[in-house]
Amino acid sequence: VQLVVESGGGVVQAGGSLRLSCAASRSFFSIDTMGWYRQAPGKQRELVATITSGGSTNYADSVKGRFTISRDNAKNMVYLQMNSLKPEDTAVYYCAVDTTIRQYWGQGTQVTVSS
């Protein structure tokens, strides 16, 4: 049973937009920070954006002004709106969920931006 599931990836042309969604298990009693990370081929996984339960956000410099993270605490959902996409945004995007017990990861969703 997957406890964290991402969706919304795909192929888009440069300049386009995508919206990623992440559903965390409703069995999670208390979720603190939720976030998005990405890993491009041959590179290390890197932080894209995080959001706390109170709504405080943090973004990688490379996506500031283009990506927006949001969450729905009632539904245990986190979203990533990605605008003005660039070829260098191509990666597998992973959702991470921090609970009081441990951090959980999804299996990732592929985002490919063509030039």
Side-chain angles (χ1 to χ4, degrees), residues 75-89:
K75 297 181 179 179
N76 283 5
M77 296 284 296
V78 63
Y79 308 96
L80 187 68
Q81 178 66 44
M82 304 185 295
N83 299 327
S84 302
L85 282 161
K86 305 175 181 180
E88 50 263 43
D89 293 318

Side-chain angles (χ1 to χ4, degrees), residues 31-34 50-58 69 71 73:
I31 296 177
D32 185 14
T33 300
M34 304 178 82
T50 60
I51 184 168
T52 68
S53 57
S56 296
T57 59
N58 180 49
I69 190 170
R71 67 189 279 175
N73 291 330

Side-chain angles (χ1 to χ4, degrees), residues 36-112:
W36 291 95
Y37 295 74
R38 66 186 181 187
Q39 187 167 17
K43 295 187 177 181
Q44 289 189 330
R45 190 172 297 188
E46 63 177 4
L47 179 147
V48 176
T50 60
I51 184 168
T52 68
S53 57
S56 296
T57 59
N58 180 49
Y59 294 93
D61 288 342
S62 59
V63 306
K64 282 181 180 177
R66 300 188 298 122
F67 291 10
T68 302
I69 190 170
S70 61
R71 67 189 279 175
D72 184 333
N73 291 330
K75 297 181 179 179
N76 283 5
M77 296 284 296
V78 63
Y79 308 96
L80 187 68
Q81 178 66 44
M82 304 185 295
N83 299 327
S84 302
L85 282 161
K86 305 175 181 180
E88 50 263 43
D89 293 318
T90 295
V92 177
Y93 283 71
Y94 297 91
C95 176
V97 176
D98 293 343
T99 71
T100 54
I101 298 174
R102 53 163 284 192
Q103 186 177 57
Y104 293 85
W105 290 84
Q107 292 192 332
T109 184
Q110 177 70 46
V111 172
T112 302

